[in-house]
Amino acid sequence: MPAASSFAIDVPDRLLRRARDGERAALEQLCRWFERPVFTLALRLTGDRSEAEDALQETMLKAIAKLGEFRGDAPFWGWMRQIAVNESLMQLRRRRRLEYSLDDGDFEPEDLAPPPAAAADAAALWRALDALPAATRAVLWLYHAEGYTHEEIAALMQRTPSFSKSQLARGGRRLRALLE
């Protein structure tokens, strides 16, 4: 069973109607409600505060611009989370293109800190996750924390389900090694 998402915010239909009508206060309320979950998700996927802030801004702009396209056949928070995932992955793609253009194809950090002494500590887990390559971290987070399937991850990342499965397996082994 997927972990409860921080995105699971019930948005009243009345607020959505007001936001669709362009009411500034309603739009600001939606942005305030989703700012923290979007930023947290983007930070976990990108591993970089600046990229997470960019993904947050792009998510909010896109959500406001496309609010009229929200059909209401699924929870609003799911629609918003999907935009946030897409924008975060776009940040990863931009970084990958930039790193490739700088002739640096190795996404591994050069200076790994020694493994943390207390693997159960949440801060140690985040440090270990941050030490993983961005694509691996994204797959681990989307699968374990957000509850996406391998097929959904593959579609989001424009890869195959086997890519998602292999990144999950490799990432799990690497994470365990980093935490030991």
Side-chain angles (χ1 to χ4, degrees), residues 5-109:
S5 174
S6 60
F7 276 84
I9 299 169
D10 288 327
V11 177
D13 290 336
R14 184 170 181 261
L15 179 64
L16 277 176
R17 278 193 304 276
R18 290 176 30 226
R20 280 185 173 145
D21 290 341
E23 184 183 314
R24 184 182 174 120
L27 292 168
E28 287 174 359
Q29 182 68 44
L30 286 176
C31 289
R32 276 194 306 275
W33 282 359
F34 287 98
E35 180 178 20
R36 175 172 257 157
V38 168
F39 179 78
T40 301
L41 174 62
L43 183 60
R44 294 301 165 223
L45 292 177
T46 65
D48 182 89
R49 291 189 75 79
S50 177
E51 288 179 355
E53 289 168 357
D54 290 346
L56 169 63
Q57 181 177 359
E58 291 299 319
T59 297
M60 294 306 173
L61 291 172
K62 191 163 283 180
I64 289 169
K66 296 184 178 266
L67 196 54
E69 295 177 19
F70 175 66
R71 295 187 307 264
D73 51 356
F76 180 79
W77 59 265
W79 180 78
M80 184 68 121
R81 182 178 71 174
Q82 187 65 50
I83 294 171
V85 167
N86 290 341
E87 290 305 317
S88 298
L89 293 174
M90 285 301 299
Q91 290 297 321
L92 288 176
R93 287 184 200 111
R94 285 184 197 110
R95 182 192 322 159
R96 187 170 52 211
R97 282 194 302 267
L98 176 63
E99 288 172 344
Y100 181 76
S101 70
L102 295 175
D103 198 28
D104 181 17
D106 186 9
F107 300 122
E108 299 286 328

Side-chain angles (χ1 to χ4, degrees), residues 105-142:
D106 186 9
F107 300 122
E108 299 286 328
E110 306 258 329
D111 306 310
L112 284 180
D121 180 24
L125 175 61
W126 295 128
R127 282 193 303 271
L129 279 168
D130 286 342
L132 296 175
T136 303
R137 181 178 53 251
V139 169
L140 283 168
W141 186 263
L142 290 171

